[in-house]
Amino acid sequence: NAGVTQTPKFRILKIGQSMTLQCTQDMNHNYMYWYRQDPGMGLKLIYYSVGAGITDKGEVPNGYNVSRSTTEDFPLRLELAAPSQTSVYFCASSYSRGSSYNEQFFGPGTRLTVL
Amino acid sequence: GQQLNQSPQSMFIQEGEDVSMNCTSSSIFNTWLWYKQDPGEGPVLLIALYKAGELTSNGRLTAQFGITRKDSFLNISASIPSDVGIYFCAGAYYNAGNNRKLIWGLGTSLAVNP
């Protein structure tokens, strides 16, 4: 299994440009997540999905959009890039069932700079 | 948004020393997690705790779920250079109706001098 893969690894955007960060998992996990990590900070949840066709906002959703048309893919869209969106973006997935925690597996991250 | 208080923020130690870090929350949790992030990588789960008072080990790592359900600590014994990285605590109160969102600490950056 490849686990959670993310593309691209690095990207530089100009203010106002748009882009899609790709995330794919091959573990048949039902839950998927997008986080951002600013320098010296912890992870903040942007959006998450509990299954194909279902998405919900996290802590910092403004400026982003997501879709979940398949179990495997969970792309994150930036429509009008702003310098405040310069960050490292992590995608994660987990197989969650019942009331207990199931481990979130993380991708390697996408480093985005908006100039 | 809600965040955990994780301390210390950073540590610089000599190889072979023991390390201790902790997290506190204003809310009770039924799950505490400790993750490690290597430079340029995503976080990887080290230890998961599900019960108040639980003490769990993973090699040289030991973590405990506080009795009050509002805190947790992680100890690393006999540190080695590969322990370098950022350690994050994360907590959640999971039940059958909620959506499995974690609350994250800001991380403890560990440097080990060989």
Side-chain angles (χ1 to χ4, degrees), chain A residues 36-103:
Chain A
R36 58 176 289 171
Q37 183 178 33
D38 298 329
M41 301 293 287
L43 297 167
K44 294 190 175 180
L45 183 65
I46 305 171
Y47 271 96
Y48 67 99
S49 168
V50 304
I54 306 170
T55 63
D56 206 348
K57 295 178 181 178
E59 189 182 353
V60 289
N62 291 346
Y64 307 95
N65 277 300
V66 293
S67 59
R68 183 98 182 269
S69 56
T70 66
T71 299
E72 294 78 19
D73 300 306
F74 191 40
L76 178 71
R77 178 92 178 151
L78 282 71
E79 289 294 349
L80 290 170
S84 62
Q85 292 178 305
T86 294
S87 191
V88 181
Y89 291 84
F90 289 101
C91 179
S93 71
S94 68
Y95 183 74
S96 296
R97 186 177 170 184
S99 61
S100 62
Y101 172 78
N102 294 93
E103 180 180 355

Side-chain angles (χ1 to χ4, degrees), chain B residues 7 19 25 31-32 56-57 63 71 73 75 78 87:
Chain B
S7 64
V19 172
S25 167
T31 300
W32 278 99
T56 297
S57 293
D71 61 342
F73 73 75
N75 283 346
Y87 293 78

Side-chain angles (χ1 to χ4, degrees), chain A residues 31 37 48 90 96 98 101 111, chain B residues 35 37 40 88 94 99-100:
Chain A
Y31 278 66
Q37 183 178 33
Y48 67 99
F90 289 101
S96 296
Y101 172 78
R111 297 178 184 278
Chain B
Y35 277 83
Q37 184 178 26
F88 289 100
Y94 290 109
N99 43 36
R100 294 167 176 78

Side-chain angles (χ1 to χ4, degrees), chain B residues 41-89:
Chain B
E41 304 286 332
V44 174
L45 183 67
L46 298 173
I47 294 179
L49 303 159
Y50 301 110
K51 194 173 168 183
E54 180 182 355
L55 186 71
T56 297
S57 293
N58 177 7
R60 292 178 297 105
L61 279 61
T62 302
Q64 184 158 27
F65 193 138
I67 295 286
T68 66
R69 300 168 72 187
K70 292 184 178 182
D71 61 342
S72 177
F73 73 75
L74 175 71
N75 283 346
I76 305 172
S77 62
S79 59
I80 58 178
S82 62
D83 291 334
V84 165
I86 303 176
Y87 293 78
F88 289 100
C89 63

